[in-house]
Amino acid sequence: MRIKCQKCRFTVDPKDIDIQRGIAKCGECGEIFNCQDQLSEVSSGPRVQERPDIALPKGFAVNYDQGALVITRRWFGPQFLFLTFFCLFWDGFLVVWYSISISQGQWFMALFASLHALVGIGLTYYVLCGYLNRTIIEVKRGAIGIRHVPLPVSKDVQITATEIAQLYTKRKVHRGDDSYSETYDVRMKTYDQKDRKLIDGLFAQDHALFIEQQIERYLGIADQSVQGEVERF
């Protein structure tokens, strides 16, 4: 059951809901309001096939710090072993190329490889992130914060938790001439009908579903089916 405060949109704790009288008290702002309409919607809403519990995936840790939910995900996975060998080959080739071009004074030859060098720098940085980085998701009653440490990758994300109507996991398919791969995003639907990315680029479906599951449980969001989400089994 999920009842939202009419004043601040905070999810009301079930123990603060008087079902018989149809009233609720918000634990965030203290507002007491009539929730009969919301109770009617919950009781008459369509039944949704529930997902099975997702166990703690390898490389994840869940802790509680001063009441906040903290999910830590280590980036490293088998894909980074392959990328390591590819990166060593790519960078090694460039070292030989530049050694020859500079020693022979072939500056055009060195300039020709500049784009490849940029690719090599980006690839090397990404591989280092794979070995060293962790994603930390901190969930409080009022906000969700996401950051990647220790190597900077993107700006920290801050989201107001009371904006979230529903979380869901979406599959993204990547096709090349001779390649096929899938990644998974955790996304959110807001009360003003916007669709926003929470975290993307996860290589395993259970990683995304676990993050969705833990945040929904902490914030008291009932899991609902969303168009475009991964299959329910």
Side-chain angles (χ1 to χ4, degrees), residues 10 29 85 96 119 131 139 141 160 175 177 192 212 214:
F10 183 78
C29 69
F85 289 107
V96 173
V119 172
Y131 280 94
V139 187
R141 292 297 180 185
T160 304
R175 290 187 174 91
D177 293 337
D192 56 0
E212 175 193 343
Q214 296 304 113

Side-chain angles (χ1 to χ4, degrees), residues 7-228:
K7 182 178 180 180
C8 70
R9 304 306 299 171
F10 183 78
T11 300
V12 179
D13 193 307
K15 66 180 178 60
D16 293 328
I17 302 171
D18 188 332
I19 297 177
Q20 292 183 341
R21 296 170 60 193
I23 61 175
K25 179 179 180 180
C26 177
E28 184 72 8
C29 69
E31 178 81 357
I32 298 175
F33 60 95
N34 188 314
C35 62
Q36 191 62 55
D37 291 344
Q38 295 188 59
L39 289 171
S40 299
E41 290 177 5
V42 171
S43 61
S44 62
R47 294 184 61 85
V48 177
Q49 182 180 354
E50 294 184 359
R51 293 191 187 277
D53 284 350
I54 307 297
L56 181 72
K58 185 178 180 180
F60 275 68
V62 175
N63 298 288
Y64 292 90
D65 183 13
Q66 298 181 351
L69 168 68
V70 181
I71 304 171
T72 304
R73 168 186 166 264
R74 187 183 175 206
W75 281 33
F76 182 77
Q79 68 276 8
F80 285 102
L81 294 175
F82 167 77
L83 287 174
T84 299
F85 289 107
F86 184 81
C87 184
L88 289 173
F89 171 80
W90 187 279
D91 291 350
F93 173 79
L94 287 172
V95 168
V96 173
W97 182 281
Y98 276 103
S99 297
I100 294 173
S101 61
I102 293 174
S103 64
Q104 296 182 359
Q106 300 291 330
W107 302 111
F108 179 79
M109 180 178 173
L111 183 63
F112 176 78
S114 58
L115 181 60
H116 297 78
L118 290 175
V119 172
I121 292 171
L123 178 61
T124 302
Y125 189 81
Y126 179 65
V127 170
L128 287 174
C129 288
Y131 280 94
L132 300 176
N133 267 23
R134 293 167 290 121
T135 296
I136 299 176
I137 306 170
E138 185 175 16
V139 187
K140 300 178 181 179
R141 292 297 180 185
I144 298 176
I146 302 174
R147 65 185 191 274
H148 309 287
V149 294
L151 299 180
V153 178
S154 59
K155 291 183 178 179
D156 294 350
V157 176
Q158 290 290 332
I159 295 172
T160 304
T162 51
E163 296 179 5
I164 303 174
Q166 186 63 53
L167 295 174
Y168 71 101
T169 295
K170 183 175 182 178
R171 177 186 292 108
K172 292 178 70 175
V173 175
H174 310 273
R175 290 187 174 91
D177 293 337
D178 299 306
S179 64
Y180 175 92
S181 63
E182 296 178 347
T183 58
Y184 299 87
D185 298 352
V186 180
R187 304 189 65 85
M188 55 179 277
K189 293 283 189 180
T190 65
Y191 284 102
D192 56 0
Q193 306 303 313
K194 293 181 180 178
D195 189 303
R196 294 179 58 187
K197 175 185 69 179
L198 196 65
I199 186 169
D200 64 352
L202 300 170
F203 289 102
Q205 179 173 305
D206 65 319
H207 290 188
L209 288 173
F210 180 79
I211 293 172
E212 175 193 343
Q213 168 187 278
Q214 296 304 113
I215 296 176
E216 285 183 340
R217 288 179 178 177
Y218 181 83
L219 294 177
I221 299 175
D223 186 36
Q224 299 289 331
S225 178
V226 176
Q227 186 176 4

